[in-house]
Amino acid sequence: MNYSTFLELHRPKHHSGNSTSAASNNSTNSVSSNSTDSTVKAYFPDFCEDCMWSGQLTCAGRADFLRNRYNTPNPQDAVMNDRKVCKNPPLQIFWRDDGIDELDSIFAQPRMSRGNATTSPMLGRISIYFYETLRKDVGVDLVENMRRQYADRNNTETNAQADIAIIDLFRTFPGRTDDAAMADAFVVPYPHASHCVSKPTGVWMAACRHIAHELMQGGVLNKLDHYVGNHKRHLFLNVINQGNSNPTMRETPLSLTIGPRYKSTNIIVPYLNNLPSFQPSAIRGRGEGWWTRPRTYSVTYFFGMSNSKMRHSPRLYRKLFMEEVQNNWPETVGGLPYAIRVMTKRNKPPSRLFTHMYRDSVFCPTFPGDTPPQKRFFDVIMMGCIPVVLEFDTNEGKKSWHQPGGQPIENSYPWIKGSNSTDPSNEIDYRSFVVAVTGGVENVRPTVEAIMRNYTEVRRRQLALMEVAPYFSYGMGEDAHRYPDAFSKILSALRYYLDGPYLGMR
């Protein structure tokens, strides 16, 4: 049975045609019309301001040049006619913006205090010593300041928030001990990623060099009373892309990182999504029917096209994909409409649009960004959308989902099968749900359509998502330490390292 037949059998009777929305909790926002709501259209103008014309010049810059130099009438139209990538595909978003955002960030909600947590999936398996001696400007004051910033609904530093959540979880972990002699590992609660994005000097420098080594040495490293003789068991939080972190943090003996993994003592962790609907209890509360329910869209992908600061970024594949869609994709894929749009920097859609669309789609591409992996990859998994990646060969004879010759997937994704980053029984088989497309962007549509012709395969991947999604969520507040989640996976990986050849015990 193909996916279209499945929809005909299971779609509610009040839905019909391409203007339908799947049977889901989001159906109240559906629009029974073949045209996109004007409010939604405003977020996706036909002229893509972020596309590149050539070199360092954007399409918007090219239009300004034509207007100022030659007084060209309708310069944006002229650019669009010459550069097809500046035209978006037909807009097929059957959703009306009700203006209602999700509840506030979990950072704005009451957090658990030490002593309130009495259970944990890892209780009794690992003992943690948590330093309270860091200098306040790089310790508790920095943590509280960044927590307040992240609690703001308008905060945009979503890629750096995980370290504050992880610090909260280590601080309240019921397996924490105040006796250093009883500790298996020592946690250094310096939130390096958050410190970097806070830009205390007012500027951003490559490799977070705006955070001076002397500041970290004096405020962090010199405050670790139990470091000597235990340095291999001291865990640092470098929860930022390695290339953006300060060299001082990269040289620490044991660390958490977003990736990629440069050495065996880097433990890769997922990005944090700070919305309540991404908490473990919410994800685990969705039954099998939610994960396998009918969807409205075959493919949904909203993305930024360019990054002027990284001229040779693998984002190039996003541009190539957009050109492929514009030139060769029909109006439907697998019998369903799709929503693929380039976003501009000036008028970004609200997060509620992304949440609705990704939840109502079968496949969600997560094509290369500046670094591997991306926050979007984990978000779409937790929203029940099957991630689609481009797969390349590496120089090591392995596979990369970032670029040709890029970082192998084993060094890019948390707890992935074959990474030797946690006990093999706790590894995650990403290939059970990820659609890895080989041969370039022109093979995306044929690959997706082939899977959609086999509903059993679509369902198998969706059920695999249901099994793994909670492990990419950090339980906080009332959810802290209650479920197997990203934090319990971190503790399990830490236990694996401590028991292994790293300390000469395995």
Side-chain angles (χ1 to χ4, degrees):
M1 179 171 63
N2 62 32
Y3 197 78
S4 295
T5 302
F6 163 74
L7 290 179
E8 292 300 321
L9 293 174
H10 296 279
R11 176 178 284 157
K13 293 182 179 180
H14 65 274
H15 291 294
S16 61
N18 286 347
S19 63
T20 61
S21 178
S24 71
N25 293 334
N26 303 313
S27 61
T28 55
N29 282 341
S30 63
V31 178
S32 296
S33 168
N34 286 323
S35 62
T36 300
D37 182 74
S38 60
T39 304
V40 177
K41 280 185 177 180
Y43 297 122
F44 302 103
D46 286 335
F47 184 73
C48 306
E49 297 180 11
D50 284 351
C51 74
M52 296 302 295
W53 174 260
S54 64
Q56 293 288 317
L57 186 64
T58 65
C59 295
R62 172 67 175 175
D64 289 341
F65 171 79
L66 294 177
R67 180 187 298 107
N68 298 332
R69 182 71 176 269
Y70 300 108
N71 199 27
T72 301
N74 302 317
Q76 293 185 348
D77 291 340
V79 173
M80 288 168 63
N81 290 334
D82 291 339
R83 181 75 170 171
K84 290 184 178 180
V85 76
C86 290
K87 291 183 180 178
N88 282 312
L91 191 58
Q92 304 180 88
I93 299 179
F94 312 110
W95 175 79
R96 179 176 288 115
D97 187 0
D98 58 14
I100 301 175
D101 276 312
E102 188 169 357
L103 296 174
D104 285 336
S105 157
I106 51 179
F107 289 112
Q109 299 181 12
R111 62 183 185 274
M112 182 170 288
S113 300
R114 185 186 181 189
N116 289 352
T118 58
T119 62
S120 165
M122 288 296 292
L123 185 61
R125 296 182 57 191
I126 191 168
S127 179
I128 298 295
Y129 182 90
F130 183 92
Y131 276 101
E132 300 277 12
T133 55
L134 273 58
R135 201 172 62 206
K136 288 186 176 182
D137 61 321
V138 289
V140 62
D141 286 355
L142 174 61
V143 170
E144 293 307 312
N145 178 54
M146 296 311 297
R147 188 198 316 282
R148 286 192 294 271
Q149 291 189 37
Y150 295 156
D152 185 343
R153 186 189 297 276
N154 297 318
N155 185 276
T156 59
E157 298 292 354
T158 56
N159 287 351
Q161 298 183 6
D163 54 11
I164 303 301
I166 292 170
I167 286 172
D168 281 349
L169 291 166
F170 271 121
R171 178 181 285 119
T172 59
F173 176 53
R176 176 182 167 186
T177 179
D178 293 326
D179 184 353
M182 300 298 294
D184 295 315
F186 299 78
V187 171
V188 182
Y190 164 55
H192 181 62
S194 292
H195 199 193
C196 289
V197 301
S198 72
K199 294 185 289 189
T201 62
V203 298
W204 174 271
M205 298 177 65
C208 194
R209 293 187 182 275
H210 51 285
I211 306 297
H213 167 79
E214 293 74 18
L215 185 64
M216 290 180 282
Q217 183 70 49
V220 180
L221 301 179
N222 290 350
K223 302 296 183 179
L224 307 179
D225 297 336
H226 309 289
Y227 190 74
V228 177
N230 296 305
H231 63 284
K232 290 185 177 181
R233 293 192 287 147
H234 275 65
L235 181 67
F236 292 82
L237 309 184
N238 192 21
V239 191
I240 190 172
N241 178 271
Q242 292 267 42
N244 290 331
S245 64
N246 190 287
T248 298
M249 290 298 292
R250 285 183 233 164
E251 294 168 3
T252 55
L254 176 64
S255 64
L256 303 183
T257 179
I258 290 297
R261 183 172 61 170
Y262 289 159
K263 52 187 179 182
S264 62
T265 55
N266 294 146
I267 299 175
I268 300 178
V269 302
Y271 287 88
L272 169 78
N273 189 302
N274 67 15
L275 295 177
S277 64
F278 289 81
Q279 284 290 278
S281 60
I283 295 172
R284 291 181 178 276
R286 299 167 189 152
E288 183 177 302
W290 186 92
W291 294 90
T292 60
R293 71 197 186 284
R295 312 296 170 92
T296 297
Y297 309 94
S298 56
V299 180
T300 291
Y301 188 30
F302 302 129
F303 59 100
M305 184 78 80
S306 64
N307 184 343
S308 60
K309 296 180 181 179
M310 302 186 73
R311 295 181 59 185
H312 304 292
S313 169
R315 284 174 182 252
L316 166 68
Y317 291 98
R318 300 181 183 185
K319 169 182 169 294
L320 297 176
F321 175 68
M322 190 64 170
E323 291 175 338
E324 170 66 19
V325 171
Q326 291 166 204
N327 293 329
N328 299 313
W329 281 37
E331 290 194 2
T332 63
V333 169
L336 294 179
Y338 54 87
I340 299 173
R341 303 298 283 185
V342 174
M343 299 182 298
T344 68
K345 294 179 179 178
R346 298 180 182 178
N347 189 26
K348 288 186 177 181
S351 62
R352 57 186 176 271
L353 172 62
F354 299 127
T355 300
H356 172 82
M357 294 298 297
Y358 289 141
R359 285 181 175 177
D360 205 12
S361 302
V362 183
F363 299 99
C364 292
T366 59
F367 292 155
D370 300 326
T371 57
Q374 302 172 66
K375 181 177 179 293
R376 181 202 313 268
F377 178 86
F378 304 104
D379 285 349
V380 300
I381 289 172
M382 291 186 284
M383 286 187 264
C385 191
I386 300 169
V388 180
V389 301
L390 299 177
E391 183 167 280
F392 309 96
D393 292 328
T394 72
N395 298 330
E396 304 170 15
K398 296 184 177 183
K399 301 298 181 181
S400 173
W401 292 342
H402 189 225
Q403 61 182 325
Q407 286 287 338
I409 58 175
E410 291 83 2
N411 290 340
S412 302
Y413 292 84
W415 316 300
I416 189 170
K417 186 176 181 180
S419 63
N420 195 35
S421 60
T422 190
D423 187 280
S425 64
N426 291 325
E427 289 182 336
I428 294 175
D429 182 6
Y430 282 65
R431 291 192 181 277
S432 69
F433 54 89
V434 172
V435 175
V437 177
T438 59
V441 296
E442 62 270 21
N443 288 334
V444 173
R445 180 167 64 90
T447 301
V448 165
E449 288 179 327
I451 296 175
M452 292 188 72
R453 285 193 288 270
N454 183 355
Y455 169 69
T456 301
E457 177 61 15
V458 174
R459 178 183 172 84
R460 184 194 67 76
R461 292 178 187 265
Q462 290 172 333
L463 291 177
L465 289 180
M466 181 179 72
E467 292 297 319
V468 304
Y471 298 122
F472 301 128
S473 170
Y474 294 87
M476 296 181 65
E478 294 183 356
D479 272 21
H481 310 297
R482 290 180 60 191
Y483 307 95
D485 65 354
F487 184 68
S488 68
K489 280 284 190 183
I490 289 172
L491 291 175
S492 180
L494 181 57
R495 179 75 271 172
Y496 183 73
Y497 272 103
L498 295 173
D499 290 344
Y502 177 50
L503 295 180
M505 298 173 61
R506 169 160 43 84

